[in-house]
Amino acid sequence: MKNVNRKFTDTEIRVNATAAFPSLFAPKAPKDGNGKPKYELCVVVDKNDEQAVELVNAAVEAAKALYTEQFGKPKGKLKTWVSDGDEERPDDPFFAGKLYFTAKADRKPELKIVENGMLVDPLDETEIYGGCRGGALVRFYPYNNAGGSGIACGLNGFVKLEDGPRMGGGASANAFDDLV
């Protein structure tokens, strides 16, 4: 896969990633039913991609500095939402050797796929799925509200560069043939 790692600002980066649990074509309602539906993507970064990991860590640290500028010194450790798959999901091979975080957006993020060497718009949600690989354009930012404080991640876009094994698998093509 082409290396898409790039820093745009101190807090906005594009990283090589595997898509997981995408809600990119329609916003997803919050699990607790409170709040506005959002577009979201779990961004999964291979820990062996040292450049991507460094970009994520640097962007989180820059967002922490912004927190201090905007809200003052935090009272405790800021929640960053960046997790280590080996620690948080030790029984899930999909997350082994990976960092992951959920990026969200109020507006539909920019979505592209590479097809025949050109960037094109995806036709539908079947083209960007959990398990495909590409580049995630994200921005880390501080928050401090009644629900708590920390560093969140905004989703600005995703470009699919290549197919990968689908998360969750799926039924085989002839799984129901014996019923007719």
Side-chain angles (χ1 to χ4, degrees):
M1 181 171 77
K2 181 178 181 168
N3 182 359
V4 301
N5 294 328
R6 182 173 174 198
K7 175 181 169 181
F8 291 95
T9 68
D10 287 344
T11 58
E12 185 178 34
I13 59 174
R14 184 181 65 203
V15 291
N16 293 327
T18 300
F21 314 112
S23 294
L24 301 172
F25 292 84
K28 179 180 176 181
K31 289 180 184 176
D32 64 5
N34 296 322
K36 181 180 175 186
K38 295 188 181 279
Y39 297 90
E40 62 182 64
L41 176 68
C42 179
V43 178
V44 183
V45 176
D46 191 319
K47 289 193 290 187
N48 289 325
D49 185 342
E50 294 174 8
Q51 185 184 32
V53 170
E54 184 178 308
L55 284 169
V56 169
N57 290 335
V60 168
E61 289 306 312
K64 287 180 180 179
L66 283 175
Y67 182 96
T68 302
E69 287 177 27
Q70 293 176 5
F71 306 115
K73 185 174 169 130
K75 291 183 170 73
K77 186 175 178 180
L78 291 173
K79 176 83 173 149
T80 65
W81 303 99
V82 176
S83 300
D84 185 321
D86 295 320
E87 294 173 13
E88 300 294 323
R89 294 176 171 226
D91 298 329
D92 189 338
F94 183 82
F95 290 96
K98 311 285 192 305
L99 293 179
Y100 66 95
F101 52 90
T102 299
K104 298 182 180 186
D106 291 330
R107 292 176 293 157
K108 186 174 181 180
E110 179 78 16
L111 302 174
K112 296 290 182 186
I113 60 173
V114 173
E115 190 172 273
N116 300 321
M118 297 176 60
L119 279 175
V120 297
D121 294 329
L123 296 176
D124 60 41
E125 61 222 45
T126 63
E127 293 189 295
I128 299 178
Y129 55 88
C132 73
R133 292 187 283 275
L137 179 60
V138 297
R139 183 180 65 85
F140 289 91
Y141 61 92
Y143 66 92
N144 186 356
N145 55 39
S149 60
I151 306 303
C153 187
L155 177 63
N156 293 341
F158 185 82
V159 59
K160 176 185 157 188
L161 297 175
E162 62 185 40
D163 287 313
R166 287 186 181 270
M167 291 182 71
S172 65
N174 58 356
F176 301 113
D177 288 355
D178 64 324
L179 299 176
V180 289

